[in-house]
Amino acid sequence: MTTKPPGYKTRDRQWHPPGLTPAYKTSVTRSPTRALISMPTSAGEEAGPVFGHDILGPMDNDLILNWAAPGEMAMGPRILVRGRVTDDNGRGVGNTLIEVWQANAGGRYRHANEGYRAPLDPNFGGYGRVMTDAEGYYEFRTVQPGPYPWPNGMMDWRPSHIHFSLFGHSFAQRLITQMYFEGDPLIWMCPIVGGIDDAEAIKSLVAALDMAETLPMDARVYRFDIVLRGRRQTFFENRWEGL
Amino acid sequence: MVQNHRILKESPSQTAGPYVHIGCTPNAAGIGKPWAEDLGATMITGAAEGSRIRIVGNVIDGTDGIVRDAMVEIFQADAQGRLKSADEAADPHFTGWGRCACDLKTGVYSFDTVKPGRLPWVDGKLQAPHVTVWVVARGINIGLHTRLYFPDEEAANAEDPVLKRIEHAHRIPTLIARAEGEGTYRFDIRLQGGDETVFFDM
């Protein structure tokens, strides 16, 4: 068999949030009104950027230390975020880059456009990156971000969250999403979360507290698994590399 | 009852938000103490083959307002139509992938890249030279895929299988960049409205 592999499965656009979710006000003028044009993935979508472990600095996956002055640490509840990136067939997505960014423990971002009165933490930058291992597992250390108010409804507060950017192995898999924390009542009030219709889809963005993995007298662990879209499979003798 | 297919659901997308720069382009946003260089800032890393071009543009919302907090990524073939992670012969001096946050004041994004060669479509026939473009921003719940085609490739564009798929042919010009001086192409991305850019589900 020398025909090309059968491409990526189509995204379930009923599962993802649609473009227009009016309760999230900014979406009103930033969502296309015409239907998306559907087409199969082709060569340009089935390849993607490649990053080597050599781009990573030793502190890139430690947000408690990667901005801190020598001998100092970021302030806030210490956590490890651990998980596995797989495709929708359950196969680990190995050696792929994950970028994360977040507010500090008080809900303040380190950004020129951010004016929330909660103070910056001089020892916290709020960004990190990590590469999954060969089986798709990743881990980074940080402080749990605080919730923060935002100018949408008069009383809207974002739940605590960490932004995730994933590359996968192809541009078709490119994904930006947000991780939320188990038990946060703000999750179910948030218009950005609420853009997702299906409660099961929302739950898939809520990281579970994993007390069994807790580092005693140090840090709790949250477990956050991520699923990227997978290739259509060619069964039996026609398996393609990586399937 | 029937067997379960045991297919997992893709993690749902969420907006990149207004502070996407913290994680993705900290140097460009002046956040400080960042990595040596933002990922995707340099696509040409040496004596790359092909003609050098610059792509510039704005992202524009449904009120004709310039979106200043968007982030644009592009992915493309090298000058010979080879893709970085798919072809070992791909140009070693060209990454194929670029990322640029819109300027926080002017909203302009830009890429210094090379004009791409042609890639095969699923039936093996050639597509017109194009650049895959992906836009995220506050207010965009799921990243928007589009394509940039070139105005000086009329013959190839006319036979391109993706452009031919667009039933409303009068919308095709939204995918064709405008020549703007020597080697510069302007590609404005209109998120919404009468001349809305064509976006793809691919």
Side-chain angles (χ1 to χ4, degrees):
Chain A
M1 276 285 287
T2 52
T3 56
K4 68 182 285 296
Y8 279 82
K9 283 180 264 189
T10 305
R11 282 201 152 112
D12 181 352
R13 299 260 172 188
Q14 310 299 312
W15 179 259
H16 286 283
L20 176 62
T21 54
Y24 174 25
K25 293 181 178 179
T26 313
S27 77
V28 172
T29 58
R30 294 188 175 189
S31 47
T33 55
R34 308 294 195 272
L36 304 180
I37 306 286
S38 293
M39 60 174 179
T41 56
S42 64
E45 295 82 41
E46 292 168 16
V50 179
F51 307 106
H53 288 263
D54 57 327
I55 69 163
L56 298 178
M59 300 286 210
D60 278 5
N61 68 341
D62 189 342
L63 284 69
I64 288 181
L65 292 181
N66 71 7
W67 187 275
E72 304 278 310
M73 288 190 188
M75 187 93 74
R78 299 160 64 84
I79 59 171
L80 291 173
V81 179
R82 276 185 187 159
R84 188 177 189 212
V85 182
T86 65
D87 68 15
D88 61 16
N89 299 310
R91 292 188 168 87
V93 179
N95 302 307
T96 187
L97 183 69
I98 302 175
E99 300 164 299
V100 296
W101 64 101
Q102 63 168 93
N104 70 22
R108 175 69 187 267
Y109 281 98
R110 186 174 286 281
H111 192 283
N113 288 352
E114 160 69 294
Y116 181 36
R117 64 196 303 178
L120 289 169
D121 176 345
N123 291 309
F124 187 71
Y127 54 72
R129 56 190 183 183
V130 60
M131 205 84 84
T132 62
D133 70 10
E135 279 80 47
Y137 290 96
Y138 74 93
E139 172 182 302
F140 62 91
R141 186 168 80 146
T142 187
V143 294
Q144 189 169 4
Y148 63 88
W150 58 299
N152 189 63
M154 285 304 292
M155 296 189 293
D156 279 333
W157 282 67
R158 294 302 325 281
S160 294
H161 63 277
I162 299 176
H163 295 266
F164 276 68
S165 157
L166 294 115
F167 289 90
H169 291 159
S170 75
F171 213 63
Q173 294 180 302
R174 189 82 179 84
L175 181 72
I176 283 183
T177 188
Q178 301 182 28
M179 172 195 127
Y180 304 99
F181 290 85
E182 178 179 357
D184 186 343
L186 291 170
I187 293 170
W188 304 97
M189 305 175 193
C190 174
I192 290 178
V193 177
I196 302 172
D197 278 335
D198 190 320
E200 291 302 314
I202 293 174
K203 285 181 198 168
S204 75
L205 296 181
V206 182
L209 180 61
D210 185 353
M211 290 304 284
E213 289 289 317
T214 287
L215 309 183
M217 306 304 288
D218 183 354
R220 288 171 302 147
V221 172
Y222 279 90
R223 167 90 187 194
F224 186 56
D225 292 334
I226 299 160
V227 179
L228 302 179
R229 63 194 289 206
R231 279 185 180 277
R232 293 193 179 85
Q233 298 184 61
T234 306
F235 287 106
F236 305 118
E237 72 275 18
N238 299 332
R239 275 177 195 277
W240 294 91
E241 192 180 349
L243 287 184
Chain B
M1 297 297 283
V2 296
Q3 291 185 350
N4 186 325
H5 281 178
R6 295 193 187 84
I7 295 294
L8 302 171
K9 297 298 287 187
E10 187 183 10
S11 295
S13 174
Q14 292 272 265
T15 179
Y19 309 128
V20 59
H21 319 87
I22 297 173
C24 295
T25 61
N27 283 289
I31 288 163
K33 254 205 219 175
W35 301 294
E37 183 183 80
D38 290 335
L39 276 187
T42 304
M43 298 179 71
I44 296 171
T45 56
E49 299 170 41
S51 44
R52 308 292 170 103
I53 61 169
R54 165 167 272 211
I55 296 169
V56 301
N58 279 110
V59 180
I60 299 163
D61 72 15
T63 72
D64 289 337
I66 288 174
V67 174
R68 294 181 173 80
D69 53 11
M71 182 173 84
V72 180
E73 292 185 9
I74 64 174
F75 185 64
Q76 64 167 91
D78 68 15
Q80 307 296 328
R82 297 168 306 203
L83 288 160
K84 198 64 181 180
S85 66
D87 189 339
E88 283 179 12
D91 190 336
H93 303 299
F94 181 64
T95 70
W97 175 74
R99 171 190 270 173
C100 183
C102 292
D103 184 276
L104 288 175
K105 292 192 178 69
T106 65
V108 172
Y109 74 84
S110 68
F111 295 97
D112 289 313
T113 181
V114 302
K115 191 163 177 196
R118 299 179 73 169
L119 287 170
W121 181 239
V122 293
D123 60 4
K125 292 178 186 161
L126 290 177
Q127 304 179 62
H130 67 273
V131 173
T132 294
V133 180
W134 190 68
V135 188
V136 294
R138 174 172 68 104
I140 296 177
N141 286 318
I142 180 165
L144 296 169
H145 273 272
T146 186
R147 284 182 166 201
L148 177 161
Y149 288 84
F150 295 90
D152 41 12
E153 294 285 347
E154 279 182 38
N157 291 345
E159 64 183 25
D160 183 80
V162 171
L163 294 180
K164 282 204 293 197
R165 188 173 281 252
I166 299 169
E167 181 190 353
H168 298 103
H170 65 278
R171 299 190 63 204
I172 291 173
T174 69
L175 300 180
I176 299 176
R178 241 177 36 232
E180 198 177 74
E182 194 63 33
T184 296
Y185 295 93
R186 169 165 282 271
F187 187 63
D188 289 334
I189 301 163
R190 292 188 174 267
L191 301 177
Q192 188 184 86
D195 47 2
E196 182 175 305
T197 300
V198 170
F199 297 106
F200 296 101
D201 184 10
M202 55 176 80

